[in-house]
Amino acid sequence: MADKTLPALNPDLLDTGTPPIPQAQGWARAYDGRSGPLVDLSQAVPGSPPPAALLERLAQAAASPDATRYGPITGDMVLREAYAAEIGRIYGAPFEPGEVAITSGCNQAFVMTMMAVARAGQNVLLPTPWYFNHEMTLRMLGIEARPLPCDPAAGFVPDVATAEALIDAGTRAIVLVTPNNPTGAIYPPATIAAFAELCAGRGLWLVLDETYRDFLPAGAAAPHEVFATTPWQDSVIGLYSFSKAYAVPGWRLGAITAGEAVMAEIAKVLDCVQINPVRAGQAAVTWGIDGIRDWREANRAEINARAALFREAMAPLNDWRVLAAGAYFAYVAHPFPDVPAAEVVRALVQERGVLALPGPYFGPGQERHLRIAIANVAADRIGALSERLRGFAL
């Protein structure tokens, strides 16, 4: 029998790393409980379920025959209208429903946007540390994820001059994530404005991933003024997730905000990938924008309190340094300069029952760092960190 030639797979996909969180969670399975219950700080998931009223709305919508039928490619108009009004309230600027598309989560929103703005062989600037799914997406698409290093001394806020020096003829976009995953850094409005000006002047897209926007401190001013003070439709695309603020990550609902001309092109991609987002969840979230507003505000306060509690818990540990903390995350420098971060994480969870993620999951130059997801555990678990980490050695 002649040798059989097997079909090849996409080399860009083969060159993409596997999702890293399951690996870290596998290390946790070896923990024997010696230090008490596992403190799982690995994945950003809501620490409590959504209000019962929101779940009731979902059940009602799922029972409707309308929810079983195809819907508009860019999402049901009632949710697009409600979301346009909501972001208009947040940013102090009018938005049209035609400038909104509902997606199956913010990860899908990012994939759709990258397919619209860049092609294989071009590059997109990603501040490092980066959200690993962003880098994975670009690698799969054959687009270079060009690292934009962020200085820990500057709180991991990206510098516009550093970014400008990295731009070349192949650059198509700059991505900013604020509040940031993985660091928790909150980018000042002036920084976002400077990047918007740079992108507009250089013919690039500024892609703003504001998944964790709802967890900015209560009473704060608008996250930025780009939507209110610039012709943003020509060079800015906004991304959002309903998962965290509404505590519904399993519903897979996100949003893209873009000029209508751009949205017409993004809709081509959406039609090929999702046809339409799940309709029952859209109906429930439409109601939830106003219906659980008080709950969402209380949740914002709780998450901010956990961030403050985390700083307090870590303060006595002089050898562990909190470099940034905000919204769902904190970024920490561990005290073992000669030990790979993955080994620190493995030993920490197996000996002390604390699971974080190694810094190298989030890009180059991160061996000294761990990412902490502070939102998905109760306050008492966060408060226990001082005792768990005290005296830990390798």
Side-chain angles (χ1 to χ4, degrees), residues 279-345:
R279 303 192 70 196
Q282 290 185 77
V285 164
T286 300
W287 173 83
I289 287 176
D290 284 323
I292 65 166
R293 189 178 298 280
D294 289 346
W295 182 90
R296 290 192 289 123
E297 286 301 316
N299 192 38
R300 179 211 300 260
E302 171 64 21
I303 297 304
N304 276 276
R306 290 182 192 181
L309 180 60
F310 176 79
R311 288 185 178 276
E312 291 175 10
M314 298 296 290
L317 305 171
N318 295 327
D319 48 350
W320 294 81
R321 291 185 297 122
V322 179
L323 303 176
Y328 257 56
F329 303 106
Y331 213 61
V332 174
H334 68 76
F336 309 105
D338 299 322
V339 181
E343 292 304 313
V344 175
V345 169

Side-chain angles (χ1 to χ4, degrees), residues 179-237:
N180 187 258
N181 178 6
T183 66
I186 297 170
Y187 299 170
T191 295
I192 299 171
F195 273 93
E197 182 178 5
L198 171 64
C199 288
R202 296 294 296 268
L204 306 176
W205 290 102
L206 175 62
V207 179
L208 280 175
D209 183 334
E210 296 186 274
T211 291
Y212 300 95
R213 176 182 65 208
D214 302 87
F215 301 102
L216 291 168
H224 56 82
E225 297 182 350
V226 169
F227 290 133
T229 62
T230 72
W232 64 270
Q233 293 90 341
D234 297 330
S235 58
V236 179
I237 299 174

